[in-house]
Amino acid sequence: MSDDESLLKQLPPEKLLDTRNTQVITPAIEMMVEIETVERYLKHERANRDRAGIISHLTEQIDAIVEETGEIPPDEQEPEDEQQGDEISADDVEPVLPVSPPEELLAHIHDLEGKSGKKIASSPAPPTWDEL
């Protein structure tokens, strides 16, 4: 039986967090070594008493566990289907269809070409600011 299982059995969230004595709560939080355990207590505290100091201490314990073990909290993990590989198949990508400019814009460009005598749309050189 792990330390957290023993703690959960002896002092479940309902029992530990329903006390006002932070001298009991604080050491118990510091004994927790698994993120899932701390999150159970955090969830209970937020749902019932919602004391900022206790919530802060619980989140600090999660941070300490992450720093010590490198474990990623369950709520920050990627879904399993995304973890399996970084490969992207053709089925995962939606096709991008070319967008045609509106007919009015095309007509306007053709009008400009006719007035200036220059081919704007098919010019090999980029247009100057005056041509835009």
Side-chain angles (χ1 to χ4, degrees):
M1 183 180 287
S2 75
D3 292 337
D4 283 4
E5 288 177 25
S6 175
L7 177 67
L8 281 165
K9 191 172 189 177
Q10 294 175 20
L11 291 171
E14 305 80 33
K15 186 174 182 180
L16 177 67
L17 297 174
D18 285 346
T19 183
R20 294 175 188 220
N21 188 351
T22 57
Q23 292 177 342
V24 173
I25 298 172
T26 303
I29 292 172
E30 291 172 359
M31 289 175 22
M32 298 175 194
V33 294
E34 296 175 4
I35 292 175
E36 292 83 15
T37 303
V38 183
E39 287 183 341
R40 278 183 65 181
Y41 285 85
L42 182 60
K43 182 179 177 182
H44 178 80
E45 179 63 25
R46 284 183 172 148
N48 294 287
R49 309 277 306 263
D50 205 26
R51 296 170 285 189
I54 302 298
I55 290 173
S56 174
H57 203 70
L58 288 163
T59 55
E60 287 171 6
Q61 185 64 15
I62 290 173
D63 293 341
I65 294 169
V66 167
E67 189 173 309
E68 184 178 315
T69 65
E71 184 180 352
I72 300 171
D75 59 338
E76 293 180 17
Q77 292 177 355
E78 294 180 17
E80 287 185 31
D81 58 339
E82 290 180 21
Q83 289 180 351
Q84 292 182 6
D86 293 337
E87 297 177 22
I88 298 175
S89 70
D91 296 333
D92 295 335
V93 179
E94 291 185 30
V96 178
L97 301 175
V99 178
S100 298
E103 292 295 324
E104 305 86 45
L105 181 59
L106 291 173
H108 179 68
I109 291 172
H110 289 294
D111 286 345
L112 290 174
E113 287 177 357
K115 291 178 184 173
S116 67
K118 296 181 183 177
K119 286 251 184 210
I120 296 173
S122 62
S123 174
T128 63
W129 282 107
D130 294 342
E131 292 177 329
L132 296 175

